[in-house]
Amino acid sequence: DGGITQSPKYLFRKEGQNVTLSCEQNLNHDAMYWYRQDPGQGLRLIYYSQIVNDFQKGDIAEGYSVSREKKESFPLTVTSAQKNPTAFYLCASSPRTGSEQYFGPGTRLTVT
Amino acid sequence: AQSVSQHNHHVILSEAASLELGCNYSYGGTVNLFWYVQYPGQHLQLLLKYFSGDPLVKGIKGFEAEFIKSKFSFNLRKPSVQWSDTAEYFCAVNRGYNQGGKLIFGQGTELSVKP
């Protein structure tokens, strides 16, 4: 069954801790993306990767980091430098850059 | 700055009413256009897309959208809504490969359909 999985669904962390969100896809897609969704603001791009071992900053990359060591995996680390980390995080992939994107179920991160 | 604007934040309709959600974007060149839907508790799903060709695009569940290049618009329509259409709708634009396929999203429109 092809798709994008994100784990965990809910994540709680204390302020000052780094946390890594998982994103895996078995669609054989080249491009992968991380977005952040906040109420009333739509989705904003954090990082994207068009190919393995390469990634670029999106519009709100500060306080986040990513890696793309395997085609199917694109983990996102929310560092302690991110000033407002509590949000809903969505991972997406697309078969090629510029085509439609398919989204995972999301991870809701709460930092207190 | 590049942006996508959705005109309505919250729309309330009765079943069988017609729907039109507005979307405008601010890019001057070639764009790819999308509408996504997020049903309560579910994934963001692609409703329809426009890359080129016929500017009237048909999507899933009876939705359609019309690309009007001169107006920089891509409005979503449905002739008769159902209670099950209650969801949040997002318009999105990307500028293809040279921009990394980045999607720029509108703020979203929450649609509530009364039975």
Side-chain angles (χ1 to χ4, degrees), chain A residues 4 33 35 37 40-43 45 48 50 59 88 90 97-105, chain B residues 32 34 36 38 43-44 46 49 51 88 90 94 96-97 99-107:
Chain A
I4 301 171
Y33 305 82
Y35 294 89
Q37 185 177 13
Q41 296 193 52
L43 281 72
L45 181 67
Y48 64 101
Q50 295 173 268
D59 300 316
F88 189 51
L90 287 165
T97 301
S99 63
E100 65 273 19
Q101 295 180 19
Y102 298 88
F103 285 81
Chain B
N32 299 325
F34 307 85
Y36 283 87
Q38 192 170 34
H43 298 203
L44 204 62
L46 181 67
K49 61 188 178 184
F51 288 159
E88 190 157 19
F90 294 92
N94 80 26
Y97 187 91
Q99 295 289 320
K102 296 186 294 182
L103 278 174
I104 309 298
F105 282 84
Q107 309 94 314

Side-chain angles (χ1 to χ4, degrees), chain A residues 15-66:
Chain A
E15 204 172 297
Q17 294 178 334
N18 291 354
V19 58
T20 297
L21 281 58
S22 166
C23 177
E24 303 277 332
Q25 54 100 358
N26 61 4
L27 301 167
N28 200 34
H29 286 174
D30 285 325
M32 295 187 75
Y33 305 82
W34 273 105
Y35 294 89
R36 170 183 171 137
Q37 185 177 13
D38 296 284
Q41 296 193 52
L43 281 72
R44 293 178 291 166
L45 181 67
I46 304 172
Y47 268 97
Y48 64 101
S49 168
Q50 295 173 268
I51 197 166
V52 175
N53 293 321
D54 187 47
F55 50 83
Q56 283 79 39
K57 292 182 180 180
D59 300 316
I60 55 165
E62 186 175 347
Y64 300 98
S65 66
V66 293

Side-chain angles (χ1 to χ4, degrees), chain B residues 11-30:
Chain B
V11 172
I12 302 172
L13 294 173
S14 297
E15 274 194 317
S18 64
L19 170 71
E20 181 159 2
L21 301 182
C23 173
N24 286 89
Y25 61 94
S26 63
Y27 311 109
T30 302

Side-chain angles (χ1 to χ4, degrees), chain A residues 11-17 85-86 109-112:
Chain A
L11 192 53
F12 298 88
R13 281 292 183 272
K14 294 288 187 186
E15 204 172 297
Q17 294 178 334
T86 294
L109 173 65
T110 302
V111 176
T112 58

